[in-house]
Amino acid sequence: MSMSEPLLLQIVNQHIPAGATVITIDKPVQHPAVYAADLTGDGLPEIAVVYQLHSELYLLILKFVQGQWIKMALTRGLGYGVTLLTAAPVTSTARNNLIVGWQIGAIWSKLAVYEWTESGLTDIVPDDLYYSYAEIVDMPGMQGRDGKVEIALWVHDTGEAYRVDIIRWQQGQWVAATDVYPTYFPKVVHYYKQLTAQYPDYVFYWYYLADAQFHAGLYPAALASVQKALSLPEAYPSREELLKLEKKIKQTMTTSDRTQAAAWLYPISVRTTNGIRWGYMDAQGHIRLEPVLQQAQAFQPNGLAVVEKDNRAGVINLQGQYVVQPLYDSINSFSEERAIAIDSQGFKMINEHGAVLTPRAYPFIADVQDGRAVFYDTGTDQTTPGSILYGYLDASGKEVIRAQYMSANDFQHGKAVVQIKEKEYALIDRNGNRISTYPYAYVGPLGDGLLAFQKELSGKYGYIDERGNVRIQPKFSSALPFSGGQAIVNTSEDYRSNYGVINKQGSFVIQPAYNDIRELGEQRYALGKAIDPEQPYIGSLYAIADVNGRRLTEFIYRNVENYKHGLASASNGTQTYLLDLSGRPAPGYPHIEGAGSLEVVAPDLIKVFVDQRLSYVNRAGQIIWYQNTIVPLEPPYRVREEKYKPNRDYLVYYPQVEGLTSQAQQDVLNGKLKELSQVKPIPADQQLDYTYTGDFDITFYQQQLLQLQLTGYNYPAGAAHGMPTMIYAIINLSDGQLYELKDLFKAGSDYVKVLSQIVGEQIKNDPQYSYVFPDTYTGISANQPFFVTADALHLYFNPYDIAPYAAGFPTFTIPFSQIMNIINTEGSFWKAFHM
């Protein structure tokens, strides 16, 4: 049931007493105090209206029963007006509470949160809870959003200063929502930064800035602000209050640093003779878990991290103990206390203790969202055998909605969009019951109550509401979901994009004139202008804009990440730094040479991933940790990493070997390594129509044999994917010789025939090679790409040679014991690692 404002007024005017008038709410724009929302949890909206009769205010609730609207509840209001009328899940995720701000003064309102009970409406807010401004939103805490809203109350103090409290309903009472402080208080910090800049001598603005910075976890900045307040002659609040805040900040900084050093850990990478290995450090850069892992992801808010060891993924806690043994091919990040683990059987859901919750493996399971996880299975329908059908699991791993849909989206606030069949989509509840049905070729996921849709798959996109009413006529070539009351759309008729941003009325708040637009969060967009308008697929230069379409910067950024706590990482191609909400480099944070991203992971610790290398710095830019560039071998040998970046789109890390007896042989070897690594002349200022990255690893080192894997990735602009390359440089450290495949075998041995036959048998008999294109394998070449390990020879093919791109580099392992009769055991190659 969809109801517009005129329809709501028509209904309520039929049910309020004669002579009564509906109250008007003045902000943010004038509108009547009438609101429709499901307050009882039955899936149908009730209508709430505040009217005035004989100078008294009344709150009336109407319910639709058996085809007509009836009075469900009537209660007397407070004050002389209404500043807020809305509904949101406060006490439960199952239904909404009605939230009213009763105006009792020019800048004061009494907060009321009504709970529907069998006896009617009950206000669960204390009688003395007053505020000046309220913000009601489900704020993410350490475990993400929980489906219930928090309420931020701005309580006026003096001037333009407000005390900010954030509360939530928890276990039958109102409590401080301290876990969301780091998410919300950066907004408060920004507010007071503007005021301290405008009124630098007003003590109370510095005091409230310090308080906001403290709640946001910005302890050094909070200390500086409160000390600024203490330096000013007038003291309001009192000097005692300022000193109290200063003491609290200092104590928290000491406790936090000690706790963080002992408890929280950050991934680090180290180049070794066994390749890159990962471990963890504390906030001071001390190694806490030795770098012995093949991969190590960041610790998640639950204190767990996904790691890889021996090519298997597991999960460890902050003490380095496995809570999920390394048994899986991969494990997703935890979402709502669940993670999706993948092994040879398929996808499984596990909990934070590693227990497998799904009774069987599935071909696919998505992360849990809003208590449900999309899965798909192979259908058994006789008309379409083998078809993929989607359903939903609950958080216990059970199928709560069987696999029956052609496509399915994640749940949001208890609802999800699914495709029933061709030209039929539906909105369902958590049990699979249909709320609405949509007879369209395409309907997108939920977003602020509107859904993108197409009447025909080749047609334009518009938006419908959840009831299926067309709210914005189809006129866009692409349309993203609404968020924050706005949506990014494209009006282009060809490959030249024209992105803009519309509001829920379909009006443009940012005109469609951009090659790209990205929502950055915290009411900011990145607007992209094509580097080359004739080749827009090459990329964009970005400017920062606010949600009103006001451009805050010029088009100077090559890349911008999402905002988090008032900061966003950005790069201009030569430097990477953090932006504040003005879109300009944030003061007090470092600028790092190179292109990549920065992330503040602790009050004075910044994670740097720039030019494909991980490091950590403090806010002053001093290095806390960086990956080593020299790998010692047995003296006097070592491998040194060199960097070649002649152009912002061309980056190569290549190896140079040191310690050879002959400098001339060493120079020849290193020149060849540079050549194999694609170190070549590249124009410095020219815009390339591709990007190239190259790197290397030490994959085998034994006695005098050093094996280097040289990898590259060439990505043409606009292509579906790039092309990887992989070359092995197998070196004898005694003389710098680079070995070829033939050097392993006896002269005159028909190694090509022998190896070709072995590989052919593996393709024929081993199911793991079923991906090989039929009739494409005709044998190996004399210079077939290869590498060695201690006990085996490994032959590989490049992508597309004998298999699809997705297969990567098809590799065939041949134990040395199987071919000892043709190996030249007296040759320098074999002796280099078998002395």
Side-chain angles (χ1 to χ4, degrees), residues 405-434:
Y405 307 120
M406 292 181 64
S407 65
N409 292 282
D410 289 332
F411 268 85
Q412 298 180 39
H413 307 298
K415 294 176 284 189
V417 175
V418 297
Q419 183 179 10
I420 306 298
K421 60 184 180 181
E422 297 291 340
K423 288 198 170 185
E424 184 177 328
Y425 285 75
L427 184 67
I428 61 171
D429 66 17
R430 290 163 58 85
N431 296 316
N433 301 312
R434 286 201 202 186

PDB file of all heavy atoms in Angstrom, residues 405-434:
ATOM      1  N   TYR A 405      14.459 -19.074  -6.996  1.00  0.00           N
ATOM      2  CA  TYR A 405      14.457 -17.818  -7.737  1.00  0.00           C
ATOM      3  C   TYR A 405      15.530 -17.802  -8.816  1.00  0.00           C
ATOM      4  O   TYR A 405      16.595 -18.419  -8.670  1.00  0.00           O
ATOM      5  CB  TYR A 405      14.696 -16.648  -6.788  1.00  0.00           C
ATOM      6  CG  TYR A 405      13.750 -16.620  -5.606  1.00  0.00           C
ATOM      7  CD1 TYR A 405      14.237 -16.693  -4.304  1.00  0.00           C
ATOM      8  CD2 TYR A 405      12.372 -16.521  -5.793  1.00  0.00           C
ATOM      9  CE1 TYR A 405      13.379 -16.672  -3.209  1.00  0.00           C
ATOM     10  CE2 TYR A 405      11.506 -16.502  -4.712  1.00  0.00           C
ATOM     11  CZ  TYR A 405      12.018 -16.576  -3.417  1.00  0.00           C
ATOM     12  OH  TYR A 405      11.164 -16.557  -2.351  1.00  0.00           O
ATOM     13  N   MET A 406      15.261 -17.059  -9.893  1.00  0.00           N
ATOM     14  CA  MET A 406      16.249 -16.904 -10.964  1.00  0.00           C
ATOM     15  C   MET A 406      17.402 -16.008 -10.536  1.00  0.00           C
ATOM     16  O   MET A 406      18.521 -16.128 -11.031  1.00  0.00           O
ATOM     17  CB  MET A 406      15.579 -16.338 -12.213  1.00  0.00           C
ATOM     18  CG  MET A 406      14.605 -17.297 -12.884  1.00  0.00           C
ATOM     19  SD  MET A 406      13.873 -16.580 -14.368  1.00  0.00           S
ATOM     20  CE  MET A 406      15.332 -16.399 -15.423  1.00  0.00           C
ATOM     21  N   SER A 407      17.150 -15.071  -9.629  1.00  0.00           N
ATOM     22  CA  SER A 407      18.195 -14.235  -9.041  1.00  0.00           C
ATOM     23  C   SER A 407      17.692 -13.753  -7.698  1.00  0.00           C
ATOM     24  O   SER A 407      16.489 -13.790  -7.421  1.00  0.00           O
ATOM     25  CB  SER A 407      18.542 -13.045  -9.941  1.00  0.00           C
ATOM     26  OG  SER A 407      17.451 -12.156 -10.064  1.00  0.00           O
ATOM     27  N   ALA A 408      18.615 -13.299  -6.851  1.00  0.00           N
ATOM     28  CA  ALA A 408      18.229 -12.869  -5.505  1.00  0.00           C
ATOM     29  C   ALA A 408      19.231 -11.856  -4.983  1.00  0.00           C
ATOM     30  O   ALA A 408      20.439 -11.974  -5.219  1.00  0.00           O
ATOM     31  CB  ALA A 408      18.150 -14.073  -4.562  1.00  0.00           C
ATOM     32  N   ASN A 409      18.728 -10.866  -4.268  1.00  0.00           N
ATOM     33  CA  ASN A 409      19.556  -9.837  -3.650  1.00  0.00           C
ATOM     34  C   ASN A 409      19.633 -10.033  -2.141  1.00  0.00           C
ATOM     35  O   ASN A 409      18.816 -10.754  -1.552  1.00  0.00           O
ATOM     36  CB  ASN A 409      18.979  -8.444  -3.949  1.00  0.00           C
ATOM     37  CG  ASN A 409      19.099  -8.070  -5.412  1.00  0.00           C
ATOM     38  OD1 ASN A 409      20.154  -7.685  -5.875  1.00  0.00           O
ATOM     39  ND2 ASN A 409      17.999  -8.194  -6.150  1.00  0.00           N
ATOM     40  N   ASP A 410      20.587  -9.361  -1.510  1.00  0.00           N
ATOM     41  CA  ASP A 410      20.701  -9.415  -0.060  1.00  0.00           C
ATOM     42  C   ASP A 410      19.479  -8.791   0.600  1.00  0.00           C
ATOM     43  O   ASP A 410      18.854  -7.883   0.052  1.00  0.00           O
ATOM     44  CB  ASP A 410      21.950  -8.657   0.404  1.00  0.00           C
ATOM     45  CG  ASP A 410      23.235  -9.378   0.044  1.00  0.00           C
ATOM     46  OD1 ASP A 410      23.210 -10.614  -0.060  1.00  0.00           O
ATOM     47  OD2 ASP A 410      24.264  -8.694  -0.122  1.00  0.00           O
ATOM     48  N   PHE A 411      19.183  -9.255   1.802  1.00  0.00           N
ATOM     49  CA  PHE A 411      18.118  -8.655   2.591  1.00  0.00           C
ATOM     50  C   PHE A 411      18.570  -7.320   3.177  1.00  0.00           C
ATOM     51  O   PHE A 411      19.748  -7.141   3.529  1.00  0.00           O
ATOM     52  CB  PHE A 411      17.691  -9.591   3.726  1.00  0.00           C
ATOM     53  CG  PHE A 411      16.559 -10.493   3.347  1.00  0.00           C
ATOM     54  CD1 PHE A 411      16.810 -11.700   2.696  1.00  0.00           C
ATOM     55  CD2 PHE A 411      15.250 -10.143   3.619  1.00  0.00           C
ATOM     56  CE1 PHE A 411      15.774 -12.551   2.333  1.00  0.00           C
ATOM     57  CE2 PHE A 411      14.204 -10.986   3.265  1.00  0.00           C
ATOM     58  CZ  PHE A 411      14.460 -12.184   2.624  1.00  0.00           C
ATOM     59  N   GLN A 412      17.632  -6.388   3.266  1.00  0.00           N
ATOM     60  CA  GLN A 412      17.820  -5.112   3.932  1.00  0.00           C
ATOM     61  C   GLN A 412      16.561  -4.811   4.733  1.00  0.00           C
ATOM     62  O   GLN A 412      15.471  -4.767   4.176  1.00  0.00           O
ATOM     63  CB  GLN A 412      18.058  -3.983   2.926  1.00  0.00           C
ATOM     64  CG  GLN A 412      19.300  -4.126   2.066  1.00  0.00           C
ATOM     65  CD  GLN A 412      19.432  -2.958   1.103  1.00  0.00           C
ATOM     66  OE1 GLN A 412      19.150  -1.813   1.444  1.00  0.00           O
ATOM     67  NE2 GLN A 412      19.864  -3.249  -0.115  1.00  0.00           N
ATOM     68  N   HIS A 413      16.732  -4.633   6.035  1.00  0.00           N
ATOM     69  CA  HIS A 413      15.599  -4.291   6.894  1.00  0.00           C
ATOM     70  C   HIS A 413      14.434  -5.272   6.697  1.00  0.00           C
ATOM     71  O   HIS A 413      13.266  -4.884   6.639  1.00  0.00           O
ATOM     72  CB  HIS A 413      15.132  -2.859   6.641  1.00  0.00           C
ATOM     73  CG  HIS A 413      16.229  -1.847   6.739  1.00  0.00           C
ATOM     74  ND1 HIS A 413      16.943  -1.627   7.900  1.00  0.00           N
ATOM     75  CD2 HIS A 413      16.758  -1.013   5.805  1.00  0.00           C
ATOM     76  CE1 HIS A 413      17.846  -0.685   7.684  1.00  0.00           C
ATOM     77  NE2 HIS A 413      17.766  -0.316   6.425  1.00  0.00           N
ATOM     78  N   GLY A 414      14.762  -6.549   6.586  1.00  0.00           N
ATOM     79  CA  GLY A 414      13.735  -7.584   6.532  1.00  0.00           C
ATOM     80  C   GLY A 414      13.103  -7.802   5.187  1.00  0.00           C
ATOM     81  O   GLY A 414      12.121  -8.546   5.080  1.00  0.00           O
ATOM     82  N   LYS A 415      13.648  -7.203   4.114  1.00  0.00           N
ATOM     83  CA  LYS A 415      13.072  -7.355   2.773  1.00  0.00           C
ATOM     84  C   LYS A 415      14.178  -7.565   1.749  1.00  0.00           C
ATOM     85  O   LYS A 415      15.303  -7.105   1.934  1.00  0.00           O
ATOM     86  CB  LYS A 415      12.247  -6.107   2.411  1.00  0.00           C
ATOM     87  CG  LYS A 415      11.003  -5.924   3.267  1.00  0.00           C
ATOM     88  CD  LYS A 415      10.271  -4.636   2.939  1.00  0.00           C
ATOM     89  CE  LYS A 415      10.967  -3.425   3.507  1.00  0.00           C
ATOM     90  NZ  LYS A 415      10.165  -2.189   3.377  1.00  0.00           N
ATOM     91  N   ALA A 416      13.826  -8.256   0.652  1.00  0.00           N
ATOM     92  CA  ALA A 416      14.790  -8.492  -0.424  1.00  0.00           C
ATOM     93  C   ALA A 416      14.041  -8.594  -1.747  1.00  0.00           C
ATOM     94  O   ALA A 416      12.878  -9.004  -1.795  1.00  0.00           O
ATOM     95  CB  ALA A 416      15.599  -9.763  -0.176  1.00  0.00           C
ATOM     96  N   VAL A 417      14.745  -8.230  -2.822  1.00  0.00           N
ATOM     97  CA  VAL A 417      14.191  -8.328  -4.176  1.00  0.00           C
ATOM     98  C   VAL A 417      14.699  -9.608  -4.824  1.00  0.00           C
ATOM     99  O   VAL A 417      15.907  -9.887  -4.797  1.00  0.00           O
ATOM    100  CB  VAL A 417      14.590  -7.114  -5.029  1.00  0.00           C
ATOM    101  CG1 VAL A 417      14.109  -7.272  -6.466  1.00  0.00           C
ATOM    102  CG2 VAL A 417      14.015  -5.830  -4.430  1.00  0.00           C
ATOM    103  N   VAL A 418      13.777 -10.380  -5.402  1.00  0.00           N
ATOM    104  CA  VAL A 418      14.132 -11.636  -6.078  1.00  0.00           C
ATOM    105  C   VAL A 418      13.476 -11.653  -7.451  1.00  0.00           C
ATOM    106  O   VAL A 418      12.499 -10.939  -7.710  1.00  0.00           O
ATOM    107  CB  VAL A 418      13.688 -12.869  -5.269  1.00  0.00           C
ATOM    108  CG1 VAL A 418      14.391 -12.927  -3.927  1.00  0.00           C
ATOM    109  CG2 VAL A 418      12.164 -12.868  -5.071  1.00  0.00           C
ATOM    110  N   GLN A 419      14.033 -12.483  -8.331  1.00  0.00           N
ATOM    111  CA  GLN A 419      13.424 -12.674  -9.652  1.00  0.00           C
ATOM    112  C   GLN A 419      12.713 -14.011  -9.661  1.00  0.00           C
ATOM    113  O   GLN A 419      13.318 -15.063  -9.446  1.00  0.00           O
ATOM    114  CB  GLN A 419      14.479 -12.626 -10.759  1.00  0.00           C
ATOM    115  CG  GLN A 419      13.879 -12.747 -12.150  1.00  0.00           C
ATOM    116  CD  GLN A 419      14.912 -12.671 -13.262  1.00  0.00           C
ATOM    117  OE1 GLN A 419      16.110 -12.707 -13.001  1.00  0.00           O
ATOM    118  NE2 GLN A 419      14.447 -12.567 -14.501  1.00  0.00           N
ATOM    119  N   ILE A 420      11.399 -13.977  -9.926  1.00  0.00           N
ATOM    120  CA  ILE A 420      10.584 -15.194  -9.933  1.00  0.00           C
ATOM    121  C   ILE A 420      10.755 -15.937 -11.259  1.00  0.00           C
ATOM    122  O   ILE A 420      11.004 -17.138 -11.296  1.00  0.00           O
ATOM    123  CB  ILE A 420       9.095 -14.854  -9.719  1.00  0.00           C
ATOM    124  CG1 ILE A 420       8.931 -14.005  -8.444  1.00  0.00           C
ATOM    125  CG2 ILE A 420       8.268 -16.128  -9.658  1.00  0.00           C
ATOM    126  CD1 ILE A 420       9.361 -14.697  -7.183  1.00  0.00           C
ATOM    127  N   LYS A 421      10.618 -15.201 -12.346  1.00  0.00           N
ATOM    128  CA  LYS A 421      10.762 -15.745 -13.688  1.00  0.00           C
ATOM    129  C   LYS A 421      11.018 -14.583 -14.626  1.00  0.00           C
ATOM    130  O   LYS A 421      11.174 -13.445 -14.189  1.00  0.00           O
ATOM    131  CB  LYS A 421       9.509 -16.520 -14.094  1.00  0.00           C
ATOM    132  CG  LYS A 421       8.233 -15.679 -14.102  1.00  0.00           C
ATOM    133  CD  LYS A 421       7.012 -16.535 -14.419  1.00  0.00           C
ATOM    134  CE  LYS A 421       5.735 -15.696 -14.420  1.00  0.00           C
ATOM    135  NZ  LYS A 421       4.540 -16.508 -14.705  1.00  0.00           N
ATOM    136  N   GLU A 422      11.087 -14.867 -15.921  1.00  0.00           N
ATOM    137  CA  GLU A 422      11.269 -13.785 -16.884  1.00  0.00           C
ATOM    138  C   GLU A 422      10.151 -12.758 -16.728  1.00  0.00           C
ATOM    139  O   GLU A 422       8.977 -13.105 -16.664  1.00  0.00           O
ATOM    140  CB  GLU A 422      11.262 -14.342 -18.314  1.00  0.00           C
ATOM    141  CG  GLU A 422      12.403 -15.297 -18.614  1.00  0.00           C
ATOM    142  CD  GLU A 422      13.756 -14.611 -18.657  1.00  0.00           C
ATOM    143  OE1 GLU A 422      13.789 -13.375 -18.827  1.00  0.00           O
ATOM    144  OE2 GLU A 422      14.776 -15.311 -18.498  1.00  0.00           O
ATOM    145  N   LYS A 423      10.540 -11.503 -16.621  1.00  0.00           N
ATOM    146  CA  LYS A 423       9.604 -10.390 -16.496  1.00  0.00           C
ATOM    147  C   LYS A 423       8.716 -10.498 -15.256  1.00  0.00           C
ATOM    148  O   LYS A 423       7.567 -10.073 -15.252  1.00  0.00           O
ATOM    149  CB  LYS A 423       8.754 -10.226 -17.750  1.00  0.00           C
ATOM    150  CG  LYS A 423       9.514  -9.664 -18.940  1.00  0.00           C
ATOM    151  CD  LYS A 423       8.582  -9.125 -19.993  1.00  0.00           C
ATOM    152  CE  LYS A 423       9.372  -8.350 -21.045  1.00  0.00           C
ATOM    153  NZ  LYS A 423       8.504  -7.704 -22.046  1.00  0.00           N
ATOM    154  N   GLU A 424       9.261 -11.052 -14.193  1.00  0.00           N
ATOM    155  CA  GLU A 424       8.525 -11.053 -12.924  1.00  0.00           C
ATOM    156  C   GLU A 424       9.514 -11.067 -11.759  1.00  0.00           C
ATOM    157  O   GLU A 424      10.255 -12.031 -11.575  1.00  0.00           O
ATOM    158  CB  GLU A 424       7.582 -12.245 -12.809  1.00  0.00           C
ATOM    159  CG  GLU A 424       6.742 -12.199 -11.531  1.00  0.00           C
ATOM    160  CD  GLU A 424       5.742 -13.333 -11.437  1.00  0.00           C
ATOM    161  OE1 GLU A 424       5.245 -13.766 -12.502  1.00  0.00           O
ATOM    162  OE2 GLU A 424       5.458 -13.796 -10.318  1.00  0.00           O
ATOM    163  N   TYR A 425       9.498  -9.978 -11.011  1.00  0.00           N
ATOM    164  CA  TYR A 425      10.304  -9.852  -9.796  1.00  0.00           C
ATOM    165  C   TYR A 425       9.354  -9.694  -8.617  1.00  0.00           C
ATOM    166  O   TYR A 425       8.163  -9.406  -8.785  1.00  0.00           O
ATOM    167  CB  TYR A 425      11.224  -8.637  -9.872  1.00  0.00           C
ATOM    168  CG  TYR A 425      12.426  -8.819 -10.774  1.00  0.00           C
ATOM    169  CD1 TYR A 425      12.296  -8.787 -12.156  1.00  0.00           C
ATOM    170  CD2 TYR A 425      13.695  -9.017 -10.240  1.00  0.00           C
ATOM    171  CE1 TYR A 425      13.390  -8.958 -12.988  1.00  0.00           C
ATOM    172  CE2 TYR A 425      14.805  -9.177 -11.055  1.00  0.00           C
ATOM    173  CZ  TYR A 425      14.645  -9.150 -12.433  1.00  0.00           C
ATOM    174  OH  TYR A 425      15.744  -9.315 -13.235  1.00  0.00           O
ATOM    175  N   ALA A 426       9.891  -9.878  -7.431  1.00  0.00           N
ATOM    176  CA  ALA A 426       9.049  -9.733  -6.238  1.00  0.00           C
ATOM    177  C   ALA A 426       9.873  -9.194  -5.084  1.00  0.00           C
ATOM    178  O   ALA A 426      11.095  -9.377  -5.020  1.00  0.00           O
ATOM    179  CB  ALA A 426       8.415 -11.065  -5.858  1.00  0.00           C
ATOM    180  N   LEU A 427       9.185  -8.529  -4.171  1.00  0.00           N
ATOM    181  CA  LEU A 427       9.753  -8.126  -2.889  1.00  0.00           C
ATOM    182  C   LEU A 427       9.235  -9.112  -1.860  1.00  0.00           C
ATOM    183  O   LEU A 427       8.017  -9.307  -1.743  1.00  0.00           O
ATOM    184  CB  LEU A 427       9.322  -6.698  -2.542  1.00  0.00           C
ATOM    185  CG  LEU A 427       9.914  -6.097  -1.267  1.00  0.00           C
ATOM    186  CD1 LEU A 427      11.420  -5.898  -1.424  1.00  0.00           C
ATOM    187  CD2 LEU A 427       9.239  -4.771  -0.927  1.00  0.00           C
ATOM    188  N   ILE A 428      10.150  -9.759  -1.140  1.00  0.00           N
ATOM    189  CA  ILE A 428       9.749 -10.787  -0.183  1.00  0.00           C
ATOM    190  C   ILE A 428      10.184 -10.405   1.221  1.00  0.00           C
ATOM    191  O   ILE A 428      11.080  -9.575   1.415  1.00  0.00           O
ATOM    192  CB  ILE A 428      10.338 -12.168  -0.552  1.00  0.00           C
ATOM    193  CG1 ILE A 428      11.881 -12.120  -0.538  1.00  0.00           C
ATOM    194  CG2 ILE A 428       9.825 -12.640  -1.901  1.00  0.00           C
ATOM    195  CD1 ILE A 428      12.547 -13.476  -0.680  1.00  0.00           C
ATOM    196  N   ASP A 429       9.534 -11.022   2.212  1.00  0.00           N
ATOM    197  CA  ASP A 429       9.970 -10.835   3.587  1.00  0.00           C
ATOM    198  C   ASP A 429      10.941 -11.946   3.972  1.00  0.00           C
ATOM    199  O   ASP A 429      11.302 -12.786   3.138  1.00  0.00           O
ATOM    200  CB  ASP A 429       8.762 -10.765   4.540  1.00  0.00           C
ATOM    201  CG  ASP A 429       7.980 -12.080   4.628  1.00  0.00           C
ATOM    202  OD1 ASP A 429       8.513 -13.145   4.225  1.00  0.00           O
ATOM    203  OD2 ASP A 429       6.831 -12.051   5.093  1.00  0.00           O
ATOM    204  N   ARG A 430      11.330 -11.960   5.225  1.00  0.00           N
ATOM    205  CA  ARG A 430      12.390 -12.874   5.667  1.00  0.00           C
ATOM    206  C   ARG A 430      11.982 -14.343   5.594  1.00  0.00           C
ATOM    207  O   ARG A 430      12.834 -15.220   5.661  1.00  0.00           O
ATOM    208  CB  ARG A 430      12.817 -12.518   7.096  1.00  0.00           C
ATOM    209  CG  ARG A 430      13.570 -11.198   7.181  1.00  0.00           C
ATOM    210  CD  ARG A 430      13.608 -10.691   8.620  1.00  0.00           C
ATOM    211  NE  ARG A 430      14.222 -11.643   9.515  1.00  0.00           N
ATOM    212  CZ  ARG A 430      15.532 -11.744   9.730  1.00  0.00           C
ATOM    213  NH1 ARG A 430      16.363 -10.950   9.070  1.00  0.00           N
ATOM    214  NH2 ARG A 430      16.026 -12.606  10.576  1.00  0.00           N
ATOM    215  N   ASN A 431      10.683 -14.604   5.452  1.00  0.00           N
ATOM    216  CA  ASN A 431      10.214 -15.981   5.336  1.00  0.00           C
ATOM    217  C   ASN A 431       9.868 -16.362   3.903  1.00  0.00           C
ATOM    218  O   ASN A 431       9.362 -17.454   3.647  1.00  0.00           O
ATOM    219  CB  ASN A 431       8.997 -16.190   6.241  1.00  0.00           C
ATOM    220  CG  ASN A 431       9.341 -16.013   7.701  1.00  0.00           C
ATOM    221  OD1 ASN A 431      10.364 -16.511   8.174  1.00  0.00           O
ATOM    222  ND2 ASN A 431       8.506 -15.285   8.429  1.00  0.00           N
ATOM    223  N   GLY A 432      10.091 -15.444   2.969  1.00  0.00           N
ATOM    224  CA  GLY A 432       9.813 -15.731   1.576  1.00  0.00           C
ATOM    225  C   GLY A 432       8.429 -15.335   1.123  1.00  0.00           C
ATOM    226  O   GLY A 432       8.058 -15.596  -0.030  1.00  0.00           O
ATOM    227  N   ASN A 433       7.644 -14.736   2.009  1.00  0.00           N
ATOM    228  CA  ASN A 433       6.303 -14.289   1.624  1.00  0.00           C
ATOM    229  C   ASN A 433       6.402 -13.070   0.715  1.00  0.00           C
ATOM    230  O   ASN A 433       7.191 -12.157   0.976  1.00  0.00           O
ATOM    231  CB  ASN A 433       5.475 -13.944   2.862  1.00  0.00           C
ATOM    232  CG  ASN A 433       5.333 -15.128   3.798  1.00  0.00           C
ATOM    233  OD1 ASN A 433       4.999 -16.227   3.367  1.00  0.00           O
ATOM    234  ND2 ASN A 433       5.593 -14.909   5.071  1.00  0.00           N
ATOM    235  N   ARG A 434       5.583 -13.041  -0.322  1.00  0.00           N
ATOM    236  CA  ARG A 434       5.612 -11.909  -1.247  1.00  0.00           C
ATOM    237  C   ARG A 434       4.931 -10.691  -0.615  1.00  0.00           C
ATOM    238  O   ARG A 434       3.805 -10.763  -0.120  1.00  0.00           O
ATOM    239  CB  ARG A 434       4.897 -12.263  -2.545  1.00  0.00           C
ATOM    240  CG  ARG A 434       5.672 -13.199  -3.428  1.00  0.00           C
ATOM    241  CD  ARG A 434       5.170 -13.100  -4.860  1.00  0.00           C
ATOM    242  NE  ARG A 434       5.499 -14.310  -5.615  1.00  0.00           N
ATOM    243  CZ  ARG A 434       5.279 -14.446  -6.913  1.00  0.00           C
ATOM    244  NH1 ARG A 434       4.714 -13.445  -7.579  1.00  0.00           N
ATOM    245  NH2 ARG A 434       5.596 -15.560  -7.538  1.00  0.00           N
TER     246      ARG A 434
END
